[in-house]
């Protein structure tokens, strides 16, 4: 039996909003999940090429070590292994977008109609046509998703979310579980374990996207009023319809910019974000954190699941390769965000140093039957292991 | 109805990075990988067909696995298919060899020649 075979795509949890797929569309996703896994192994060659070819050649020529990640990037760009790995990885990610979009765009109207039916007359979906899409989202199509989260190709479009939902399983090779909610589950379990008496009455999830990570929180605290905000209307329509179909009714999805919400001061017991900040911007991140502080009640909890931080003991190569996805999979702010210390970010908004916390979290994966436990090279930018930072507001 | 075929292949924002010294390599590689993907899709479809046929008792997959041509005619048909297939996909290599064997004039030169004919 081969090691670490990714789960077949049809293991993904079915719900009313999940796009319909043909045999070949599922097969295409299976191919791409395997290709992703394969390339994580090919990536190991980059370190070898760097250490045995790129670095010695540079030192011989210049009589000194490579100074920084920029210089490293210029040198490794000439290496044939790095070239082929990079072009294959880029190509795989573009193919993943093409595969997802070819599934959802051919059924755009049908998906829209399903969402309309599930959302009809519900007060728990609040769209605001005056909500401006933040400039940082207009500047780039995050992870090469043409049109990003907000573009509507038809009226009441939901295809950006349908593409995201069906394809994240491929990009992560199923490591986030059947509902792609491994992040939300991990944070819920951590909170429960850390403070079994924590009983939040009001919870805010910022940058909720298609709502995959807020649903485990809402399910764990069924008596809480949960509000999930995002600026992308297609994401919210889909998220709400998906939640309705999955029988989760205590989440209100609202179209709102996290940097300027309309919530009252000190009105939430818990403010959560999951893989959100690295898709914001250098000034907005502080505005958003100010807003988190403002709406959080004294004694309230805030947690943010993010990409791993750089550490001082990390090698130049390690830092460089971690930035690869940021730049070549179009998540550009991620390449800047690691220059900010989470502690400084939180202190700037009023959180106190003694209340700051930083923990590691690994995705809860309901698909893991043991066959995925073998030693695997870390797939930089894709691994289901994250850095979580946060604080209690005191 | 939106043009879903064209839109599915849309470019995302930002200049596309190229990793090979010659962008043509990148272009060919992307096309090749897309074709590789479609071959994998076809292989999965064949696997489905074989399993369904077996389930319905129409054929045993073992029969397929153990099948070998049982006549000279079938042997030749199958080998001819391979030969055609390989020639088709490696066409450019053959043409470059023919060019090496018989260095040719450019079409512009031939046009000039013809103009004198």
């Amino acid at each position: 039996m081969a090691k670490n075979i990714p789960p077949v795509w049809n293991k993904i949890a079915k719900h009313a909003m999940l796009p319909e797929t043909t045999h070949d569309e599922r097969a295409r996703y299976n191919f791409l999940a395997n290709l992703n896994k394969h390339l994580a192994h090919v990536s190991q060659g980059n370190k070898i090429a760097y250490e045995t070819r790129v670095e010695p050649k540079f030192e011989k020529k210049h009589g000194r070590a490579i100074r920084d990640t920029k210089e490293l990037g210029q040198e490794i760009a000439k290496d044939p292994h790095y070239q082929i790995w990079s072009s294959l990885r880029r190509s795989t990610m573009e193919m993943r977008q093409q595969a997802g979009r070819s599934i959802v765009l051919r059924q755009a109207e049908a998906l829209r109609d399903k969402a309309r039916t599930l959302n009809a007359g519900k007060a728990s979906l609040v769209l605001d046509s005056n909500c401006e899409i933040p400039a940082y989202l207009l500047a780039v199509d995050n992870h090469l998703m043409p049109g990003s989260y907000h573009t509507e190709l038809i009226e009441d479009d939901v295809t950006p979310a349908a593409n995201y939902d069906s394809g994240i399983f491929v990009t992560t090779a199923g490591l986030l579980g059947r509902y792609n909610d491994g992040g939300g589950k991990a944070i819920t379990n951590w909170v429960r374990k850390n403070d079994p008496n924590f009983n939040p009455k009001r919870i805010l999830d910022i940058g909720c996207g298609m709502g995959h990570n807020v649903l485990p929180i809402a399910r764990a605290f069924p008596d809480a009023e949960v509000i999930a905000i995002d600026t992308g209307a297609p994401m919210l329509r889909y998220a709400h319809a998906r939640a309705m179909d999955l029988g989760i009714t205590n989440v209100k999805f609202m179209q709102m910019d996290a940097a300027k919400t309309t919530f009252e001061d000190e009105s939430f017991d818990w403010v959560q974000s999951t893989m959100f900040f690295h898709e914001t911007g250098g000034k907005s991140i502080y505005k958003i954190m100010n807003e988190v502080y403002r709406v959080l009640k004294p004694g309230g909890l805030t947690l943010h699941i993010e990409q791993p931080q750089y550490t001082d003991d990390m090698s130049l190569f390690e830092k460089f390769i971690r930035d690869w996805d940021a730049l070549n999979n179009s998540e550009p702010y991620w390449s800047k965000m690691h220059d900010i210390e989470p502690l400084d970010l939180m202190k700037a908004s009023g959180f106190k140093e003694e209340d700051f916390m930083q923990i590691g979290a690994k995705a809860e994966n309901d698909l893991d039957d043991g066959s995925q436990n073998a030693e695997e090279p870390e797939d930089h930018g894709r691994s289901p292991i994250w850095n979580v930072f946060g604080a209690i507001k005191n | 109805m939106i043009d879903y075929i064209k839109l599915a292949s849309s470019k995302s924002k930002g200049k596309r990075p190229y990793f090979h010294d010659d962008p043509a390599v990148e272009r060919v590689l992307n096309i090749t990988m897309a074709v590789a993907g479609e071959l994998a899709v076809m292989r999965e479809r064949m696997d489905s067909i074989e399993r369904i046929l077996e389930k319905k008792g129409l054929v045993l997959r073992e029969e397929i696995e153990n099948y070998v041509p049982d006549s000279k005619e079938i042997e030749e048909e199958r080998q001819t298919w391979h030969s055609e297939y390989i020639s088709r996909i490696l066409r450019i290599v053959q043409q470059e060899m023919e060019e090496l064997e018989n260095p040719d004039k450019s079409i512009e030169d031939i046009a000039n020649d013809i103009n004198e004919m």
Side-chain angles (χ1 to χ4, degrees), chain A residues 23-24 27-28 30-31 83 86-88 90-91 94-95 98 101-102 105-106 138 141 144 146 324 328, chain B residues 2 4 7-13 16-17 19-21 26 29-30 33-34 37-38 40-41 44-45 48:
Chain A
H23 180 283
D24 291 357
R28 204 165 282 124
N30 289 337
F31 167 73
Q83 288 177 346
S86 296
S87 56
L88 284 169
R90 170 80 187 199
S91 158
E94 289 180 357
M95 281 196 280
Q98 203 279 341
R101 283 165 63 81
S102 68
L105 297 182
R106 69 168 173 79
L138 294 173
D141 290 332
L144 308 179
W324 194 97
N328 297 303
Chain B
I2 53 175
Y4 76 90
L7 286 165
S9 298
S10 299
K11 177 187 167 297
S12 61
K13 277 181 187 162
R16 190 191 190 283
F19 301 95
H20 295 281
D21 302 331
E26 196 95 13
L29 182 86
N30 272 267
M33 289 310 292
E38 294 313 298
V41 167
E44 191 163 314
R45 193 171 188 96
S48 296

Side-chain angles (χ1 to χ4, degrees), chain A residues 218-231:
Chain A
R219 198 183 278 121
F221 298 98
D223 298 327
E225 179 195 1
V226 184
I227 296 176
I229 63 169
D230 201 282
T231 53

Side-chain angles (χ1 to χ4, degrees), chain B residues 38-66:
Chain B
E38 294 313 298
L39 179 61
V41 167
M42 190 58 73
R43 174 63 183 75
E44 191 163 314
R45 193 171 188 96
M46 283 301 297
D47 184 71
S48 296
I49 291 168
E50 288 178 15
R51 285 174 201 275
I52 291 166
L53 289 177
E54 184 173 62
K55 213 171 181 178
K56 289 181 182 284
L58 296 170
V59 70
L60 288 173
R61 286 202 302 147
E62 206 185 338
E63 285 178 57
I64 296 171
E65 217 51 66
N66 294 331

